[in-house]
């Protein structure tokens, strides 16, 4: 029976990889690293091995502007007597972030900052270009909308200076801010329920302020069409597409049945609408054709004293604001003294960073277009689930507009090159959602390295399966003694390397040193080992293509344990019988297994794999996927006379943290 040939995935000729942008008011906590950066880095490293290092750009950076940074800066000035400027404050945090990312072996080509140095200059230029292009294309509109004002302090309040309850039906957010909640739901400020100023603790006033808005609500239909296309022509995660679809609904108002009892003249007062009345549900649903009709209906309900909740739908996406710490918006139509709202300008910041990197290596910075908008390239953006609205909806619509795609156009999606999004679910801490702004404070990424190695943590974070669901990070090093049960789960996947794989690699070296004068015996690899190795490579490649990192870890675990078992069972027979031919064959097979495993592990635990390569004394073609199925002799000039680097007794290639080693 003829064996069916497995179809392998096709990768782009070149790629940009981005990881979200941490705010410039804090150090990195475990969620930044474990929830996004590790996945982005492993994929970027894999692509460098797969399509060539020169064909991959991995960028990210500090999100420097916006009200959270301003608020944090004022706090350290008031409470800690901080003397330096807000730019100094951001730079300090940026440097701390970069330092921690380096400790976790993140291979960023550029970790920039949207307000600092050359990256900041280019980002300012890009921001102005984007605004002007959107304005000239007719994609922006001036809207006067209510903004919160604290009369006690005589100031307009920025987004994070107002807290209340999210108005979106079914939202479970702990915090609703001026026009977005902590889960990323968007709404107009006047919809926030029970708002309070964090300055005075009182209910703020609403005063009209005029800003620029992108006409996002007009992109509902074309975004729906794109979601349909992605479902059948891409490997976007299904839950990500489902989340996007939740926002692409007609404008809706939900009203409890009891609120409508005794009211007879409501129908004639409301704009055109349809009613969904399901007897078993406590609310009646009013569906409107457009956002304007829904807002007219809201006024009717307000006037009649009827309480209601709104549904998820697209609203105009604010582009500007009046926060002083921000990039100035070009003056148009007598609207001046505005700065960009931090969210839109952070969406095009990776383009700024790509331009900055290209310029730094002596390339034409305009070459960024061939990386972001061409058939041969692809942009992979790794984000957290809270940011799906911004990246999968607002960014996609704005980028369409910048490409000249009108909201009413019929689009051939095969020739519209937009970023590919990889959204991870929440990385919880001890089964609870932790963030700097919540009651559960997350451990800092730097602090984890006092108890675990970067490689142990990289393995563990990948294994958690954040592509499927939210998962708890439960490091015993941060637990009370009475809460510790069984082994530390953080170490499970790291132990595969520090115990099982270490044993196999060392056994190969020690056997070669003892019996073959530190050489690798030359011969054919057993067909069974070749078959299992090749199948592992193909399966690994498919999981990497689909960003199924937990499956990648599972495949590696199975392969390494099988190869270790093969060694242990057969070498026992060879040594027991003094069978040198069998010993030689096992060693040939085991070195092929080591060569295969470290190539697949290279994106995940790079330093230790480089150490093995150094002791093997083979060239760097070992990492190149053009040779992925080749035996180890391919990377050696003279196989018969090749000498391995001498391995000292009890040498560990994959090391445990010093705190885990018993004296």
């Amino acid at each position: 029976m003829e064996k069916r040939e497995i179809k392998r995935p096709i990768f782009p000729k070149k790629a940009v990889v981005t990881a979200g942008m941490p705010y410039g008011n804090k150090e990195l906590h475990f969620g930044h690293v474990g929830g996004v950066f590790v996945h982005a880095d492993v994929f970027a490293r894999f692509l460098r091995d797969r399509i060539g290092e020169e064909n991959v750009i991995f960028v990210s950076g500090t999100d420097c502007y916006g009200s959270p940074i301003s608020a944090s800066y004022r706090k350290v000035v008031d409470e800690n007597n901080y003397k330096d400027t807000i730019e100094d404050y951001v730079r300090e945090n940026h440097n701390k972030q970069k330092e921690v990312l380096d400790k976790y072996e993140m291979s960023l080509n550029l970790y920039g900052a949207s307000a600092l140095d050359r990256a900041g200059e280019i980002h300012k230029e890009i921001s102005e270009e984007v605004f002007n292009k959107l304005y000239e294309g007719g994609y922006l509109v001036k809207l006067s909308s209510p903004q919160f004002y604290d009369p006690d302090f005589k100031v307009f309040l920025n987004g994070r200076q107002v807290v209340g309850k999210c108005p979106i039906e079914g939202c479970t957010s702990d915090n609703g801010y001026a026009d977005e909640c902590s889960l990323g739901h968007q709404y107009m400020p006047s919809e926030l329920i029970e708002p309070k100023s964090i300055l005075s603790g009182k209910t703020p006033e609403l005063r009209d302020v005029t800003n620029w808005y992108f006409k996002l609500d007009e992109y509902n239909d074309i975004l729906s069409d794109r979601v349909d296309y992605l479902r059948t022509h891409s490997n976007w995660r299904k839950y990500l597409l489902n989340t996007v679809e939740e926002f692409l609904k007609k404008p809706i108002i939900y009203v409890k049945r009891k609120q409508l009892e005794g009211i007879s003249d409501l129908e004639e007062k409301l704009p055109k609408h349809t009613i969904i009345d399901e007897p078993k549900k406590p609310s009646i649903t009013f569906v409107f054709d457009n956002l304007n009709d829904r807002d007219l209906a809201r006024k009717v309900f307000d006037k009649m004293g009827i309480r209601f909740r709104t549904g998820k739908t697209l609203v105009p996406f604010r582009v500007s604001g009046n926060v002083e710490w921000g990039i100035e918006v070009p003056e148009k139509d007598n609207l001046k003294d505005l700065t960009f709202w931090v969210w839109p300008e952070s969406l095009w910041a990776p383009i700024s960073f790509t331009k900055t990197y290209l310029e730094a290596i002596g390339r034409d910075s305009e070459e960024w277009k061939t990386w972001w908008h061409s058939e041969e390239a692809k942009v992979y953006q790794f984000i957290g689930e809270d940011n799906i609205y911004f990246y999968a909806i607002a960014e996609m619509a704005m980028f369409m507009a910048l490409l000249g795609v009108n909201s009413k156009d019929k689009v051939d999606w095969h020739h519209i090159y937009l970023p590919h999004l990889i959204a991870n679910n929440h990385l919880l801490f001890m089964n609870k959602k932790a963030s700097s702004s919540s009651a559960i404070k997350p451990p800092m990424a730097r602090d984890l390295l006092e108890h675990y190695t970067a490689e142990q943590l990289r393995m563990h974070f990948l294994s958690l399966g954040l592509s499927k669901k939210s998962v708890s990070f439960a490091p015993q090093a941060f637990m009370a003694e009475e809460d510790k049960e069984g082994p530390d789960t953080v170490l499970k996947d790291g132990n595969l390397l520090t115990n099982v794989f270490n044993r196999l690699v060392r056994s190969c070296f020690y056997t070669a040193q003892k019996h073959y004068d530190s050489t690798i015996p030359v011969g054919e690899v057993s067909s069974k080992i070749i078959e299992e190795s090749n199948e592992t490579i193909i399966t690994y490649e498919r999981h990497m293509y689909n960003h199924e990192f937990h499956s990648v870890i599972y495949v590696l675990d199975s392969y390494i344990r099988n190869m270790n078992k093969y060694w242990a069972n057969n070498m026992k027979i060879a040594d027991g019988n003094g069978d040198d031919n069998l010993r030689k064959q096992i060693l040939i097979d085991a070195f092929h297994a080591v060569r295969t495993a470290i190539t697949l592990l290279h994106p995940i635990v790079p330093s230790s794999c480089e150490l093995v390569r150094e002791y093997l004394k083979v060239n760097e073609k070992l990492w190149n996927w053009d040779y992925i199925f080749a035996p180890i002799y391919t990377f050696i000039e003279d196989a018969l006379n090749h000498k391995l680097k001498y391995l000292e007794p009890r040498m560990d290639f994959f090391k445990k943290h010093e705190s885990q080693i018993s004296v």
Side-chain angles (χ1 to χ4, degrees):
M1 183 176 176
E2 188 176 339
K3 193 170 182 180
R4 184 175 61 89
E5 185 177 348
I6 298 173
K7 189 175 181 180
R8 293 176 62 188
I10 298 173
F11 291 89
K13 292 182 179 178
K14 54 186 180 182
V16 175
V17 179
T18 80
M21 291 177 62
Y23 277 134
N25 61 347
K26 65 187 77 170
E27 290 193 50
L28 301 182
H29 59 65
F30 80 101
H32 291 121
V33 172
V36 176
F37 270 99
V38 164
H39 302 78
D41 181 67
V42 167
F43 191 65
R45 286 180 179 274
F46 164 73
L47 286 177
R48 290 190 184 110
D49 291 345
R50 184 67 180 77
I51 65 175
E53 185 172 3
E54 71 283 1
N55 297 318
V56 180
I57 298 176
F58 178 23
V59 294
S60 182
T62 304
D63 202 353
C64 297
Y65 293 112
S67 56
I69 286 88
S70 297
S72 296
Y73 172 68
R74 282 193 296 270
K75 187 174 181 180
V76 297
V77 169
D78 294 341
E79 296 181 6
N80 301 339
N81 200 29
Y82 187 79
K83 300 294 186 185
D84 294 327
T85 66
I86 190 168
E87 184 174 321
D88 294 328
Y89 172 69
V90 168
R91 187 180 294 278
E92 288 174 16
N93 287 313
H94 168 71
N95 290 340
K96 289 175 183 176
Q97 291 173 3
K98 189 175 185 306
E99 179 186 316
V100 167
L101 291 172
D102 288 343
K103 289 179 183 293
Y104 277 89
E105 298 194 55
M106 302 300 168
S107 59
L108 287 143
N109 293 99
L110 177 77
Y111 188 69
S114 58
L116 306 176
D117 307 322
R118 184 60 180 148
E121 294 171 359
I122 289 178
H123 184 54
K124 184 175 183 293
E125 294 168 5
I126 283 280
S127 299
E128 292 172 354
E129 288 175 22
V130 167
F131 180 86
N132 288 332
K133 194 163 185 178
L134 291 176
Y135 174 83
E136 290 159 9
Y139 299 106
L140 299 180
V141 61
K142 285 192 298 185
L143 288 178
S144 292
S145 61
Q147 185 170 331
F148 291 110
Y149 180 83
D150 191 323
D152 287 9
F153 282 76
K154 294 182 173 56
V155 292
F156 281 101
L157 301 171
N158 64 49
R160 294 302 176 97
Q161 289 178 312
V162 182
V163 293
K165 295 178 183 176
C166 177
I168 301 300
E169 177 74 11
C171 179
T172 58
S173 169
D174 296 330
N175 290 303
Y177 303 112
D179 52 9
E180 64 167 319
C181 77
S182 60
L183 294 181
H185 297 145
Q186 300 290 297
Y187 43 82
M188 302 305 279
S190 57
E191 297 179 65
L192 183 65
I193 297 171
E194 298 176 11
K196 289 284 183 290
S197 165
I198 66 169
L199 299 183
S200 65
K202 298 179 182 178
T203 301
E205 297 176 359
L206 281 169
R207 297 187 179 182
D208 279 353
V209 174
T210 303
N211 271 299
W212 289 108
Y213 286 77
F214 173 70
K215 298 176 181 178
L216 180 59
D217 51 311
E218 295 183 0
Y219 275 78
N220 198 309
D221 292 343
I222 197 171
L223 285 168
S224 294
D225 186 55
R226 177 165 169 76
V227 168
D228 291 341
Y229 169 82
L230 291 171
R231 283 196 186 279
T232 55
H233 295 90
S234 81
N235 61 338
W236 277 46
R237 291 174 177 170
K238 295 299 184 285
Y239 99 89
L240 169 54
L241 295 174
N242 292 341
T243 301
V244 172
E245 275 193 332
E246 289 177 8
F247 288 98
L248 305 180
K249 295 178 179 177
K250 291 283 189 181
I252 288 173
I253 289 178
Y254 300 95
V255 182
K256 297 286 187 186
R257 292 178 181 279
K258 289 184 178 180
Q259 291 278 309
L260 300 176
E261 290 176 1
I263 298 176
S264 58
D265 58 345
L266 180 60
E267 285 290 309
E268 59 196 52
K269 293 181 178 179
L270 291 175
K272 181 185 174 185
H273 65 280
T274 56
I275 292 177
I276 301 174
D277 186 356
E278 299 177 71
K280 292 184 178 180
K281 291 195 174 180
S283 296
I284 293 175
T285 304
F286 295 80
V287 184
F288 301 90
D289 288 340
N290 55 64
L291 202 60
N292 186 58
D293 284 352
R294 188 206 69 173
D295 289 343
L296 288 173
R298 287 178 59 243
K299 292 178 181 178
V300 171
F301 285 127
D302 279 334
K303 193 171 182 180
M304 297 178 73
I306 298 172
R307 295 192 301 275
F308 58 87
R309 288 267 184 149
T310 52
K312 294 180 184 178
T313 192
L314 298 190
V315 298
F317 187 58
R318 184 160 59 90
V319 173
S320 68
N322 55 8
V323 178
E324 186 178 346
W325 175 239
I327 298 172
E328 292 181 8
V329 174
E331 183 180 334
K332 302 285 185 184
D333 298 351
N334 297 317
L335 202 55
K336 55 186 179 180
D337 298 328
L338 296 177
T339 54
F340 282 99
W341 183 38
V342 64
W343 256 115
E345 54 97 349
S346 71
L347 296 175
W348 56 72
I351 294 176
S352 307
F353 296 154
T354 304
K355 288 191 68 170
T356 304
Y357 172 69
L358 289 169
E359 181 183 274
I361 62 172
R363 306 272 278 277
D364 182 354
S365 62
E366 290 306 304
E367 190 185 315
W368 74 269
K369 294 172 186 173
T370 67
W371 291 82
W372 279 77
H373 299 304
S374 70
E375 185 177 4
E376 65 177 12
K378 199 165 190 175
V379 177
Y380 299 89
Q381 293 193 291
F382 286 78
I383 63 171
E385 68 171 296
D386 286 354
N387 297 333
I388 287 175
Y389 183 92
F390 298 105
Y391 284 90
I393 296 175
E395 176 183 274
M396 295 300 157
M398 282 198 300
F399 283 11
M400 283 184 219
L402 291 169
L403 291 171
V405 178
N406 191 280
S407 60
K408 304 300 180 185
D409 289 346
K410 188 66 179 174
V411 179
D412 177 5
W413 293 112
H414 290 281
H415 298 99
I416 299 296
Y417 307 111
L418 296 171
H420 177 103
L421 297 186
I422 305 100
N424 280 341
N425 287 277
H426 289 303
L427 181 57
L428 308 174
F429 180 61
M430 307 294 186
N431 281 316
K432 295 181 181 178
K433 186 179 178 184
S435 73
S436 302
S437 57
S438 71
I440 308 297
K441 300 302 178 188
M444 294 295 104
R446 184 188 305 272
D447 296 339
L448 295 179
L449 295 175
E450 295 180 8
H451 306 277
Y452 307 98
T453 68
E455 292 189 342
Q456 287 174 328
L457 290 164
R458 287 170 69 99
M459 286 285 289
H460 179 64
F461 288 138
L462 290 179
S463 75
L464 292 176
L466 294 176
S467 63
K468 300 291 184 183
K469 60 181 180 180
S470 295
V471 183
S472 180
F473 175 55
Q476 285 196 0
F478 290 80
M479 291 182 185
E481 283 300 321
E482 60 269 19
D483 295 332
K484 296 178 182 178
E485 293 181 9
D488 191 340
T489 56
V490 176
L491 298 177
K492 174 183 174 293
D493 300 289
N495 285 342
L496 172 71
L497 304 183
T498 58
N499 295 345
V500 183
F501 194 44
N502 244 337
R503 188 160 56 245
L504 177 62
V505 180
R506 291 194 306 193
S507 296
C508 288
F509 275 87
Y510 292 146
T511 302
Q513 287 172 186
K514 180 178 180 180
H515 294 281
Y516 305 107
D517 193 26
S518 288
T519 63
I520 302 174
V522 177
E524 294 290 325
V525 181
S526 300
S527 59
K528 180 177 181 296
I529 298 300
I530 288 178
E531 184 178 349
E532 183 165 357
S533 299
N534 291 357
E535 184 178 335
T536 297
I537 290 166
I538 294 295
T539 307
Y540 169 104
E541 181 185 46
R542 185 177 69 251
H543 288 314
M544 273 291 191
Y545 177 79
N546 290 319
H547 320 109
E548 296 164 344
F549 298 105
H550 63 294
S551 297
V552 166
I553 298 298
Y554 177 81
V555 167
L556 290 169
D557 184 282
S558 179
Y559 180 70
I560 289 169
R561 291 186 189 280
N562 285 348
M563 293 300 102
N564 189 67
K565 190 181 297 182
Y566 172 81
W567 173 277
N569 291 344
N570 290 283
M571 192 57 80
K572 185 177 181 181
I573 296 171
D575 287 341
N577 297 336
D579 188 338
D580 190 59
N581 286 333
L582 178 58
R583 180 188 296 115
K584 189 177 292 186
Q585 186 62 56
I586 295 164
L587 195 57
I588 290 169
D589 294 344
F591 268 115
H592 184 75
V594 168
R595 167 265 184 281
T596 301
I598 62 169
T599 304
L600 301 183
L601 283 166
H602 186 236
I604 303 169
V605 286
S607 292
S608 291
C609 290
E610 287 287 356
L611 184 61
V612 177
R613 186 187 70 81
E614 177 191 327
Y615 273 76
L616 288 171
K617 294 170 74 172
V618 297
N619 62 51
E620 291 196 353
K621 285 182 181 178
L622 179 69
W623 312 131
N624 188 328
W625 272 63
D626 289 345
Y627 309 96
I628 189 64
F629 301 107
I632 197 166
Y633 314 113
T634 307
F635 315 105
I636 298 170
E637 287 186 14
D638 183 359
L640 290 173
N641 298 301
H642 181 77
K643 290 275 190 178
L644 301 167
K645 184 176 178 179
Y646 180 76
L647 185 67
E648 302 82 357
R650 300 180 64 82
M651 163 74 177
D652 285 327
F653 288 102
F654 301 88
K655 295 177 171 57
K656 295 184 177 183
H657 192 276
E658 57 186 16
S659 67
Q660 301 159 14
I661 300 171
S662 301
V663 179

